[in-house]
Amino acid sequence: MIRAAITGVSAYTPEKILTNADFEKIVDTTDEWIMSRVGIKERRVLDKGLGTSTMAAEAVKSVLEKTNTKPEEVEVIIFATTTPDYIFPSTAAMTAEACGIKNALGFDIQAACSGFLYALETGSNFVKSGQYKKVLVVAGDKMTSITNYKDRTTCPLFGDGVGAVMLEPTEEEYGVMDSILHVDGVGIPHLHMHGGGSVHPASHETVDNDMHYVYQEGQVVFKHAVSKMADVSVEIMERNNLTKDDVNWLVPHQANIRIIEAVGNRMGLSADKVMINIQKYGNTSAGTIPICLAEWESQLKKGDNIILTAFGAGFTWGSLYLKWAYNK
Ligand code: UT7
């Protein structure tokens, strides 16, 4: 049986930092509130005039180098993002062009904060088909481009960043082992951006009504996120006969430290097994999981059992069980 193994991972986050002290000057908030309610200390900001593919190009070039892959050898590039450079062409096309990738098929996936899981499962199936041997999965967002800096309930939450992994076939017991993904439109009223699409194309009215920004009802989303991420992570452990001792790492979407801790506790995991970097980057939407994997890459060992889990707009959510395929 062919499986898709991650053979390299890299991430890029911009240098410019927005701290909680900066937010204290912009809106009615405090470092104490943001740290205790969300767990974010600072986040990265990409310059105006640059798009998500600018960050992706850095991450992809690094993954190509790590995996000794020439751009022309890449066969598929899948890009999960909510903040594409443009409505069209795809951010996959923009990234391919920036990296000299000329022999691949490429497309974008929209699954909000769950985008990396959706793209990884899709990429894994390209590899499992036996037809593709070099599949790039890229995920991330320039969330600051859709953040309303007058709304204190959302503006401290988000940051910019992108991660990328290379998938290659293996006949050994490594790689993407299992996944459970969901979509349920019950979340549509609670988390969305209504401006700029085909229902409400950009107009003076959409701009005046703040419709090009993230709208979120935090408490509703919080409750769903905790229960759905915890349920699906326990389900994937049980389905694969994994006890809490078998799981080496949990890589949760980084939206709120309290959500992350609640999910880890439900799975029975000690805190040292849970990847957390929300304090440095905030919520980079589809970027959070691959950015964690890149940061922890040197600590990951061949054979490690890793559970990835995410929750986002739609609602979309899910868990993916990964067996790490290499030592760095
Ligand atoms: O990534 C996609 C999925 N998204 C998520 O998973 C996010 C889920 N939601 C959350 O993480 C949390 O709901 C938030 C971080 C967004 C908000 O935290 P909360 O503990 O749910 O706060 P709340 O909305 O219940 O607000 C509590 C209070 C309110 O004041 P009153 O009504 O009690 O007087 C808010 O107005 O905190 C106030 N508040 C703030 N105060 C200081 C809201 N934002 C701020 C702020 N600074 N930035």
Side-chain angles (χ1 to χ4, degrees), residues 27-30 33-34 37-38 112-113 151-158 191 216-223 225 229 253-256 258-259 283 285 311-313:
V27 286
D28 180 15
T29 192
T30 59
W33 191 95
I34 301 171
R37 304 306 294 170
V38 205
C113 298
D151 175 9
R152 72 170 183 170
T153 69
T154 54
C155 70
L157 306 178
F158 299 108
L191 181 53
Q216 173 170 259
E217 291 162 10
Q219 279 187 18
V220 183
V221 178
F222 185 97
K223 282 181 195 142
M229 284 166 79
H253 171 51
Q254 312 278 309
N256 188 315
R258 292 180 292 140
I259 298 176
N283 182 348
S285 193
F311 184 90

Side-chain angles (χ1 to χ4, degrees), residues 261-279:
E261 287 170 356
V263 173
N265 288 341
R266 259 289 296 286
M267 295 168 72
L269 300 179
S270 53
D272 58 328
K273 289 184 173 184
V274 183
M275 293 188 195
I276 299 175
N277 62 12
I278 188 174
Q279 69 285 358

Side-chain angles (χ1 to χ4, degrees), residues 113-136:
C113 298
S114 309
F116 181 68
L117 299 189
Y118 273 66
L120 196 53
E121 170 65 9
T122 307
S124 162
N125 283 310
F126 271 92
V127 172
K128 275 159 73 177
S129 76
Q131 286 188 59
Y132 302 92
K133 295 187 170 52
K134 294 271 190 187
V135 174
L136 271 174

